[in-house]
Amino acid sequence: MSSTAPSSDLVSGRECGPCTTCCKTLKIDAPELKKLADVLCPHCTEGGGCKIYTNRPQVCQDWYCGWRKIPQLTDHWRPDRCGVLICFVGKGEGIPPEFPQLGLKFDIVDSPRVLNWDPLIKLIAWEIAQGRPVFLGVPVPIGYERRKVFLNYAMAQAVQSRERQAMLACLEAAYRVGVQEGLSEETIFA
């Protein structure tokens, strides 16, 4: 689980509510909590939230998804509603050196059908067109590391042409790459 900027840049009035997507989707490897990706945190009640919220580990206190921090996203982007968890990716997390060292990862929560969602395609295309690094996060079997596929190079031509079908085909291909690589790295905790 990557840390992000302080909570002072959260969108005013936007709360997690019953969303617990991050509590399940993300791997946590901190001294106070170790949890596999795609396994519900032992402190969480799905749809009910954290049972130890006021005393939750620091790694959880410091982390917020893109929906909580990006004002342009509508309520439809809340992760439990759309099936996509937007995460921030920073320096040392696989961004090629010629790109700004802050980007976005669009973690697919359950079904790849969400790849066909127009708002997702448009936001990914927008970010790539702006020259920001973009990754697709792909779920894998429990006990393995979620795959993170860099999209900018593969989607550059499709984004430039603004062809929806070409962009969708690139996203689907990236998802397949992630699935194919899915059994290549078992989760190891530090």
Side-chain angles (χ1 to χ4, degrees):
M1 181 187 286
S2 293
S3 178
T4 61
S7 61
S8 61
D9 62 349
L10 295 175
V11 176
S12 178
R14 193 174 285 176
E15 300 293 330
C16 298
C19 182
T20 57
T21 303
C22 64
C23 302
K24 182 175 181 182
T25 304
L26 300 174
K27 170 190 168 187
I28 300 175
D29 187 4
E32 65 274 21
L33 180 62
K34 299 200 182 293
K35 183 196 85 62
L36 294 169
D38 299 311
V39 173
L40 190 64
C41 174
H43 302 296
C44 182
T45 303
E46 198 158 7
C50 182
K51 294 181 275 189
I52 62 165
Y53 188 80
T54 55
N55 297 316
R56 68 194 185 280
Q58 192 64 48
V59 66
C60 299
Q61 291 180 39
D62 293 343
W63 196 88
Y64 293 95
C65 73
W67 179 75
R68 291 289 313 272
K69 299 182 97 168
I70 302 172
Q72 296 82 1
L73 298 178
T74 65
D75 284 345
H76 294 95
W77 280 95
R78 194 173 84 184
D80 63 330
R81 293 179 178 146
C82 71
V84 178
L85 178 65
I86 300 174
C87 306
F88 296 93
V89 179
K91 188 173 183 172
E93 295 183 273
I95 299 173
E98 66 272 19
F99 286 88
Q101 294 300 296
L102 181 62
L104 296 176
K105 177 175 61 146
F106 294 84
D107 259 318
I108 305 306
V109 176
D110 293 312
S111 172
R113 288 186 302 242
V114 73
L115 296 174
N116 197 34
W117 188 40
D118 278 332
L120 177 64
I121 294 170
K122 289 176 181 176
L123 182 55
I124 288 173
W126 169 258
E127 291 293 317
I128 290 173
Q130 300 307 305
R132 290 187 280 268
V134 178
F135 294 85
L136 184 68
V138 180
V140 297
I142 293 171
Y144 291 86
E145 292 293 314
R146 273 183 156 258
R147 305 320 299 166
K148 181 171 72 177
V149 181
F150 187 64
L151 297 175
N152 294 63
Y153 299 136
M155 288 188 67
Q157 187 174 351
V159 167
Q160 187 174 13
S161 71
R162 297 182 182 174
E163 294 179 24
R164 183 191 188 282
Q165 278 309 115
M167 290 186 278
L168 177 58
C170 289
L171 288 172
E172 290 171 339
Y175 189 90
R176 286 191 302 273
V177 166
V179 169
Q180 288 170 355
E181 294 177 353
L183 298 176
S184 66
E185 185 181 358
E186 288 187 55
T187 298
I188 299 172
F189 291 109

